[in-house]
């Protein structure tokens, strides 16, 4: 499969609601995640943020599908060794610095969205820590302020994205598991669009925030070409990242921008 020159150039997720809650204890998180999975909630739709996840291995940045693709990492293995069994079940686990909160471990699409906010992908979300990021993602200001205070104090924020007809069931599950400050929002988290990508807004936040505008165009054009040829989104993503890594330089922050000189 060959790379193509960049040009300017689905099915939307069936998720319709985001249910969020805070938990006081790590053990509660360890127990509630398997229960959610047993109810048919996808691990890709579960997010967690917390300060009190302990690990013998310190990492910086946010481990994304891009890191797995380019670095050849095995998601389950590395996530499990870093953060334990519960987080090993989720996707996109990594360390983030959130203003006014500090270093947190974040997992799932909420962590990816916060990374996008920290990189300017969500307008206006970088100035007031977790509160403004959650507001930008559709959370009421009062609830966002409560969640930031609780996370800062050491509690854990969990968000679950579910179809509207499962809202009541999952809300009751979270409450029975010890969840507090439960809130349901009609806004879902930004993520990659399924199928052909039309513009940078179709990219997932953690991908978009790591690419310059030129690199975004390169990614989209090559992703779409590969998807047309193979029909496999995973293969298309691998191909797009391969082309980006071949054509652009990556800085110390993981940002791909300056094009490599052609020999």
């Amino acid at each position: 499969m060959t790379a193509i020159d960049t040009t300017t150039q689905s099915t939307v997720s069936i998720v319709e609601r985001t249910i969020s809650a805070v938990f006081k204890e790590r053990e509660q998180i360890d127990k509630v995640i398997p229960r959610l999975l047993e109810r048919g909630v996808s691990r890709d739709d579960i997010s967690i943020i917390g300060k009190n996840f302990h690990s013998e291995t310190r990492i910086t940045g946010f481990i994304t599908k891009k890191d797995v693709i380019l670095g050849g990492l095995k998601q389950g293995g590395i996530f499990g060794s870093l953060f334990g069994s519960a987080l090993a079940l989720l996707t996109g686990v990594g360390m983030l610095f959130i203003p006014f909160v500090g270093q947190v471990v974040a997992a799932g699409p909420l962590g990816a969205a916060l990374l996008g906010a920290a990189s300017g992908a969500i307008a206006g979300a970088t100035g007031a820590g977790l509160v403004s990021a959650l507001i930008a993602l559709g959370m009421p200001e009062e609830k966002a302020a409560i969640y930031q205070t609780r996370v800062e104090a050491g509690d854990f924020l969990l968000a679950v994205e579910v179809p509207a007809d499962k809202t009541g069931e999952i809300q009751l599950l979270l409450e029975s598991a010890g969840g507090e400050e439960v809130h349901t929002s009609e806004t879902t988290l930004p993520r990659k669009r399924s199928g052909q990508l039309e513009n940078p807004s179709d990219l997932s936040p953690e991908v978009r925030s790591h690419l310059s505008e030129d690199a975004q165009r390169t990614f989209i054009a090559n992703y779409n070409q590969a998807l047309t040829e193979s029909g496999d989104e995973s293969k298309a993503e691998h191909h797009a990242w391969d082309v980006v890594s071949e054509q652009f330089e990556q800085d110390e922050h993981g940002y791909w921008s300056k094009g490599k000189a052609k020999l």
Side-chain angles (χ1 to χ4, degrees):
M1 190 175 294
T2 58
I4 63 174
D5 293 334
T6 59
T7 57
T8 303
Q9 290 220 60
S10 122
T11 300
V12 179
S13 171
I14 62 171
V15 172
E16 298 179 19
R17 300 287 187 271
T18 300
I19 308 171
S20 51
V22 288
F23 292 83
K24 289 182 175 293
E25 305 295 336
R26 164 72 186 269
E27 290 75 15
Q28 293 174 310
I29 293 294
D30 290 337
K31 292 178 180 178
V32 76
I33 291 177
R35 291 180 63 186
L36 289 168
L37 297 175
E38 289 171 359
R39 296 292 183 92
V41 177
S42 169
R43 67 177 191 156
D44 295 330
D45 294 330
I46 303 173
S47 300
I48 298 174
I49 297 176
K51 298 177 70 172
N52 293 330
F53 288 104
H54 301 294
S55 168
E56 295 179 358
T57 305
R58 182 175 179 80
I59 65 171
T60 57
F62 193 84
I63 298 177
T64 66
K65 290 172 66 177
K66 176 264 300 181
D67 300 301
V68 175
I69 291 169
L70 296 183
L73 303 175
K74 299 296 184 182
Q75 284 199 29
I78 190 169
F79 294 165
S81 64
L82 291 176
F83 302 111
S85 59
L87 291 187
L89 298 172
L90 306 184
T91 58
V93 180
M95 293 289 293
L96 295 176
F97 178 82
I98 300 179
F100 305 106
V101 176
Q103 286 282 3
V104 300
V105 169
L110 180 55
L114 289 173
L115 179 71
S119 303
I122 301 177
T126 59
L130 185 59
V131 170
S132 59
L134 291 176
I135 292 172
L137 295 170
M139 184 78 64
E141 182 174 358
E142 180 180 355
K143 186 63 70 174
I146 292 173
Y147 285 162
Q148 172 164 308
T149 299
R150 296 289 296 264
V151 171
E152 192 173 1
D155 293 346
F156 303 91
L157 172 60
L158 181 143
V160 186
E161 297 174 292
V162 298
D165 60 2
K166 297 191 70 171
T167 300
E169 173 189 349
I170 300 304
Q171 181 172 329
L172 288 174
L173 188 157
L174 297 183
E175 291 173 346
S176 69
E180 303 175 3
E181 299 292 343
V182 178
H183 173 77
T184 299
S185 171
E186 294 187 6
T187 303
T188 55
L189 296 168
R191 62 183 68 203
K192 171 187 164 297
R193 172 180 175 171
S194 295
Q196 294 284 320
L197 306 178
E198 296 182 359
N199 54 61
S201 66
D202 294 335
L203 296 169
S204 62
E206 80 274 17
V207 170
R208 187 170 63 248
S209 64
H210 278 86
L211 302 176
S212 67
E213 291 185 2
D214 286 343
Q216 289 173 7
R217 286 192 288 269
T218 296
F219 185 99
I220 291 171
N222 285 278
Y223 176 91
N224 287 341
Q225 179 208 28
L227 185 62
T228 298
E229 294 178 5
S230 70
D232 187 315
E233 292 192 355
S234 179
K235 290 182 179 179
E237 191 170 22
H238 276 73
H239 175 66
W241 275 116
D242 283 343
V243 175
V244 167
S245 64
E246 290 171 359
Q247 297 186 5
F248 294 86
E249 298 284 354
Q250 183 181 32
D251 66 19
E252 65 273 17
H253 303 294
Y255 187 74
W256 299 83
S257 58
K258 185 179 179 181
K260 292 181 180 178
K262 295 183 180 180
L263 300 178

